Amino acid sequence: GWVHGPRQAMRAMTVAKQACDLHTATLTQHAVVELLQTFDYEAHLGQIRAEYRRRCEAMLRALERTMPPGTRWSTPDGGLFLWLELPPGLRDEEVFHAAIEHAVAVVPGSGFFVGPPQHGFLRLNFSNQSEASIDVGMARLGRTLFDLQEASRSREVPSSLQ
């Protein structure tokens, strides 16, 4: 990025920047200038936006097919992630560890709250996997949630009734 402003403000920002990273990578800046002069960046953005839209839609379709009742999720207007609200009684850390056992990676949502953490959410990335991998991953996540719900229900039944 760049900035333009009064000399005094520019000096203060320069000092602050130097305190953060000591020096701008001049070679990298020259490479970016060359790229932007010779590469159709707008066309590239159009291609990756279309691809991310397809992947997002694939994840949304997979969630519809695979998630247990009580699970909700966002439909993003942009970005690379969506939010999944877990069914009542499940916690993000528990799901995180169980999902690893099912060979699927999720990000616990509790770390993204500014105030007190809420433990009933996951952040799911649709940008870094193919549509086929998204289908497999969401099926595994759905199975994880169903298994955790079943385990939770069996813990709730008094042992005298089992």
Side-chain angles (χ1 to χ4, degrees), residues 51-80:
E51 181 61 31
Y52 291 158
R53 185 178 308 109
R54 282 190 293 275
R55 293 177 187 189
C56 178
E57 290 168 355
M59 183 172 278
L60 293 169
R61 287 189 306 272
L63 289 168
E64 283 288 339
R65 289 191 314 273
T66 61
M67 292 299 119
T71 309
R72 300 181 334 162
W73 50 88
S74 65
T75 301
D77 292 329
L80 307 175

Short mmCIF file of all heavy atoms in Angstrom, two decimals, residues 51-80:
data_model
loop_
_atom_site.label_atom_id
_atom_site.label_comp_id
_atom_site.label_asym_id
_atom_site.label_seq_id
_atom_site.Cartn_x
_atom_site.Cartn_y
_atom_site.Cartn_z
N GLU A 51 -13.98 -19.10 -8.86
CA GLU A 51 -13.59 -20.38 -8.28
C GLU A 51 -13.97 -20.45 -6.80
O GLU A 51 -14.52 -21.45 -6.34
CB GLU A 51 -12.09 -20.62 -8.44
CG GLU A 51 -11.62 -21.95 -7.89
CD GLU A 51 -12.27 -23.16 -8.55
OE1 GLU A 51 -12.61 -23.09 -9.75
OE2 GLU A 51 -12.45 -24.17 -7.85
N TYR A 52 -13.71 -19.41 -6.05
CA TYR A 52 -14.08 -19.40 -4.64
C TYR A 52 -15.60 -19.46 -4.47
O TYR A 52 -16.10 -20.07 -3.53
CB TYR A 52 -13.51 -18.17 -3.92
CG TYR A 52 -12.01 -18.20 -3.77
CD1 TYR A 52 -11.30 -17.03 -3.57
CD2 TYR A 52 -11.28 -19.39 -3.83
CE1 TYR A 52 -9.91 -17.04 -3.43
CE2 TYR A 52 -9.91 -19.41 -3.69
CZ TYR A 52 -9.22 -18.23 -3.49
OH TYR A 52 -7.87 -18.25 -3.34
N ARG A 53 -16.33 -18.82 -5.37
CA ARG A 53 -17.80 -18.89 -5.31
C ARG A 53 -18.25 -20.34 -5.50
O ARG A 53 -19.11 -20.83 -4.77
CB ARG A 53 -18.42 -17.99 -6.38
CG ARG A 53 -19.94 -17.93 -6.31
CD ARG A 53 -20.55 -16.97 -7.35
NE ARG A 53 -19.94 -15.65 -7.32
CZ ARG A 53 -19.12 -15.16 -8.26
NH1 ARG A 53 -18.84 -15.87 -9.33
NH2 ARG A 53 -18.60 -13.96 -8.15
N ARG A 54 -17.66 -21.05 -6.46
CA ARG A 54 -18.01 -22.46 -6.69
C ARG A 54 -17.70 -23.30 -5.46
O ARG A 54 -18.49 -24.14 -5.05
CB ARG A 54 -17.26 -23.01 -7.91
CG ARG A 54 -17.86 -22.59 -9.23
CD ARG A 54 -17.24 -23.36 -10.39
NE ARG A 54 -15.85 -23.02 -10.61
CZ ARG A 54 -15.41 -21.99 -11.34
NH1 ARG A 54 -16.27 -21.18 -11.92
NH2 ARG A 54 -14.12 -21.77 -11.48
N ARG A 55 -16.54 -23.05 -4.86
CA ARG A 55 -16.16 -23.83 -3.67
C ARG A 55 -17.07 -23.52 -2.49
O ARG A 55 -17.45 -24.42 -1.74
CB ARG A 55 -14.70 -23.55 -3.32
CG ARG A 55 -13.74 -24.10 -4.37
CD ARG A 55 -12.31 -23.76 -4.05
NE ARG A 55 -11.44 -24.14 -5.15
CZ ARG A 55 -10.13 -24.13 -5.08
NH1 ARG A 55 -9.52 -23.74 -3.98
NH2 ARG A 55 -9.40 -24.49 -6.12
N CYS A 56 -17.43 -22.26 -2.32
CA CYS A 56 -18.35 -21.88 -1.25
C CYS A 56 -19.70 -22.56 -1.46
O CYS A 56 -20.28 -23.14 -0.52
CB CYS A 56 -18.52 -20.36 -1.21
SG CYS A 56 -19.67 -19.78 0.05
N GLU A 57 -20.21 -22.50 -2.68
CA GLU A 57 -21.49 -23.14 -2.98
C GLU A 57 -21.42 -24.64 -2.78
O GLU A 57 -22.38 -25.26 -2.30
CB GLU A 57 -21.93 -22.79 -4.41
CG GLU A 57 -22.34 -21.32 -4.53
CD GLU A 57 -22.50 -20.84 -5.96
OE1 GLU A 57 -22.21 -21.61 -6.92
OE2 GLU A 57 -22.90 -19.67 -6.14
N ALA A 58 -20.28 -25.25 -3.10
CA ALA A 58 -20.10 -26.69 -2.87
C ALA A 58 -20.16 -27.00 -1.37
O ALA A 58 -20.78 -27.99 -0.95
CB ALA A 58 -18.77 -27.17 -3.46
N MET A 59 -19.54 -26.15 -0.56
CA MET A 59 -19.58 -26.37 0.89
C MET A 59 -21.00 -26.20 1.41
O MET A 59 -21.46 -27.00 2.24
CB MET A 59 -18.61 -25.44 1.62
CG MET A 59 -18.57 -25.70 3.13
SD MET A 59 -17.28 -24.77 3.99
CE MET A 59 -15.84 -25.81 3.66
N LEU A 60 -21.70 -25.19 0.95
CA LEU A 60 -23.07 -24.98 1.42
C LEU A 60 -23.96 -26.17 1.05
O LEU A 60 -24.77 -26.63 1.87
CB LEU A 60 -23.63 -23.68 0.84
CG LEU A 60 -22.97 -22.39 1.36
CD1 LEU A 60 -23.40 -21.20 0.53
CD2 LEU A 60 -23.26 -22.18 2.84
N ARG A 61 -23.81 -26.69 -0.16
CA ARG A 61 -24.58 -27.88 -0.57
C ARG A 61 -24.22 -29.09 0.30
O ARG A 61 -25.10 -29.84 0.74
CB ARG A 61 -24.35 -28.21 -2.04
CG ARG A 61 -25.02 -27.25 -3.01
CD ARG A 61 -24.94 -27.76 -4.45
NE ARG A 61 -23.59 -28.08 -4.89
CZ ARG A 61 -22.75 -27.21 -5.45
NH1 ARG A 61 -23.12 -25.96 -5.65
NH2 ARG A 61 -21.54 -27.60 -5.84
N ALA A 62 -22.94 -29.26 0.56
CA ALA A 62 -22.49 -30.40 1.38
C ALA A 62 -23.01 -30.28 2.80
O ALA A 62 -23.40 -31.28 3.41
CB ALA A 62 -20.96 -30.48 1.36
N LEU A 63 -23.03 -29.07 3.35
CA LEU A 63 -23.55 -28.88 4.71
C LEU A 63 -25.02 -29.27 4.76
O LEU A 63 -25.46 -29.93 5.71
CB LEU A 63 -23.36 -27.43 5.15
CG LEU A 63 -21.92 -27.01 5.43
CD1 LEU A 63 -21.83 -25.49 5.58
CD2 LEU A 63 -21.37 -27.71 6.66
N GLU A 64 -25.78 -28.89 3.74
CA GLU A 64 -27.21 -29.25 3.69
C GLU A 64 -27.40 -30.76 3.76
O GLU A 64 -28.31 -31.25 4.41
CB GLU A 64 -27.85 -28.72 2.40
CG GLU A 64 -28.16 -27.26 2.39
CD GLU A 64 -29.33 -26.88 3.30
OE1 GLU A 64 -30.17 -27.75 3.63
OE2 GLU A 64 -29.40 -25.71 3.67
N ARG A 65 -26.53 -31.49 3.08
CA ARG A 65 -26.66 -32.95 3.00
C ARG A 65 -26.14 -33.68 4.24
O ARG A 65 -26.58 -34.78 4.52
CB ARG A 65 -25.87 -33.49 1.80
CG ARG A 65 -26.45 -33.18 0.46
CD ARG A 65 -25.75 -33.97 -0.65
NE ARG A 65 -24.29 -33.97 -0.57
CZ ARG A 65 -23.50 -33.04 -1.10
NH1 ARG A 65 -24.03 -32.02 -1.76
NH2 ARG A 65 -22.19 -33.12 -0.99
N THR A 66 -25.17 -33.10 4.94
CA THR A 66 -24.40 -33.90 5.90
C THR A 66 -24.54 -33.51 7.37
O THR A 66 -24.16 -34.28 8.23
CB THR A 66 -22.90 -33.85 5.55
OG1 THR A 66 -22.44 -32.49 5.62
CG2 THR A 66 -22.64 -34.41 4.16
N MET A 67 -25.06 -32.33 7.67
CA MET A 67 -25.07 -31.87 9.06
C MET A 67 -26.29 -32.37 9.82
O MET A 67 -27.38 -32.46 9.26
CB MET A 67 -25.01 -30.35 9.12
CG MET A 67 -23.68 -29.76 8.65
SD MET A 67 -22.27 -30.30 9.64
CE MET A 67 -21.30 -31.15 8.38
N PRO A 68 -26.10 -32.65 11.10
CA PRO A 68 -27.23 -33.09 11.92
C PRO A 68 -28.19 -31.95 12.22
O PRO A 68 -27.82 -30.77 12.11
CB PRO A 68 -26.57 -33.60 13.20
CG PRO A 68 -25.27 -32.90 13.27
CD PRO A 68 -24.84 -32.64 11.85
N PRO A 69 -29.42 -32.28 12.60
CA PRO A 69 -30.37 -31.24 12.99
C PRO A 69 -29.79 -30.37 14.11
O PRO A 69 -29.04 -30.85 14.96
CB PRO A 69 -31.58 -32.03 13.50
CG PRO A 69 -31.47 -33.37 12.83
CD PRO A 69 -29.99 -33.62 12.70
N GLY A 70 -30.13 -29.10 14.08
CA GLY A 70 -29.63 -28.16 15.08
C GLY A 70 -28.37 -27.44 14.67
O GLY A 70 -27.92 -26.52 15.35
N THR A 71 -27.77 -27.86 13.55
CA THR A 71 -26.58 -27.20 13.03
C THR A 71 -27.02 -26.07 12.10
O THR A 71 -27.91 -26.25 11.29
CB THR A 71 -25.70 -28.19 12.24
OG1 THR A 71 -25.47 -29.35 13.02
CG2 THR A 71 -24.37 -27.56 11.86
N ARG A 72 -26.38 -24.91 12.24
CA ARG A 72 -26.68 -23.77 11.37
C ARG A 72 -25.37 -23.22 10.83
O ARG A 72 -24.32 -23.45 11.41
CB ARG A 72 -27.44 -22.69 12.14
CG ARG A 72 -28.74 -23.18 12.71
CD ARG A 72 -29.53 -22.15 13.47
NE ARG A 72 -28.75 -21.07 14.04
CZ ARG A 72 -29.25 -19.92 14.43
NH1 ARG A 72 -30.52 -19.67 14.31
NH2 ARG A 72 -28.48 -18.98 14.95
N TRP A 73 -25.45 -22.47 9.75
CA TRP A 73 -24.24 -21.89 9.16
C TRP A 73 -24.58 -20.62 8.42
O TRP A 73 -25.72 -20.38 8.04
CB TRP A 73 -23.54 -22.88 8.23
CG TRP A 73 -24.45 -23.50 7.23
CD1 TRP A 73 -24.77 -23.02 6.00
CD2 TRP A 73 -25.18 -24.72 7.38
NE1 TRP A 73 -25.66 -23.85 5.37
CE2 TRP A 73 -25.93 -24.92 6.20
CE3 TRP A 73 -25.29 -25.66 8.40
CZ2 TRP A 73 -26.75 -26.01 6.01
CZ3 TRP A 73 -26.11 -26.75 8.21
CH2 TRP A 73 -26.82 -26.92 7.03
N SER A 74 -23.55 -19.81 8.22
CA SER A 74 -23.70 -18.55 7.50
C SER A 74 -23.61 -18.81 6.00
O SER A 74 -23.05 -19.82 5.57
CB SER A 74 -22.60 -17.57 7.91
OG SER A 74 -21.33 -18.07 7.53
N THR A 75 -24.16 -17.89 5.24
CA THR A 75 -23.98 -17.87 3.79
C THR A 75 -23.20 -16.60 3.49
O THR A 75 -23.76 -15.52 3.47
CB THR A 75 -25.34 -17.87 3.06
OG1 THR A 75 -26.06 -19.04 3.45
CG2 THR A 75 -25.14 -17.86 1.55
N PRO A 76 -21.88 -16.73 3.30
CA PRO A 76 -21.05 -15.53 3.16
C PRO A 76 -21.32 -14.75 1.88
O PRO A 76 -21.63 -15.32 0.84
CB PRO A 76 -19.62 -16.08 3.17
CG PRO A 76 -19.72 -17.54 3.03
CD PRO A 76 -21.13 -17.97 3.25
N ASP A 77 -21.19 -13.42 1.99
CA ASP A 77 -21.29 -12.54 0.84
C ASP A 77 -19.92 -12.37 0.17
O ASP A 77 -19.82 -11.84 -0.92
CB ASP A 77 -21.79 -11.15 1.26
CG ASP A 77 -23.23 -11.18 1.72
OD1 ASP A 77 -24.00 -12.01 1.21
OD2 ASP A 77 -23.58 -10.38 2.60
N GLY A 78 -18.88 -12.80 0.85
CA GLY A 78 -17.52 -12.69 0.35
C GLY A 78 -16.59 -13.37 1.33
O GLY A 78 -17.02 -14.02 2.28
N GLY A 79 -15.32 -13.21 1.08
CA GLY A 79 -14.33 -13.82 1.96
C GLY A 79 -14.04 -15.26 1.61
O GLY A 79 -14.41 -15.76 0.55
N LEU A 80 -13.36 -15.94 2.53
CA LEU A 80 -12.89 -17.30 2.28
C LEU A 80 -13.39 -18.31 3.30
O LEU A 80 -12.99 -19.46 3.28
CB LEU A 80 -11.35 -17.30 2.30
CG LEU A 80 -10.68 -16.28 1.37
CD1 LEU A 80 -9.17 -16.29 1.58
CD2 LEU A 80 -11.02 -16.56 -0.07
#
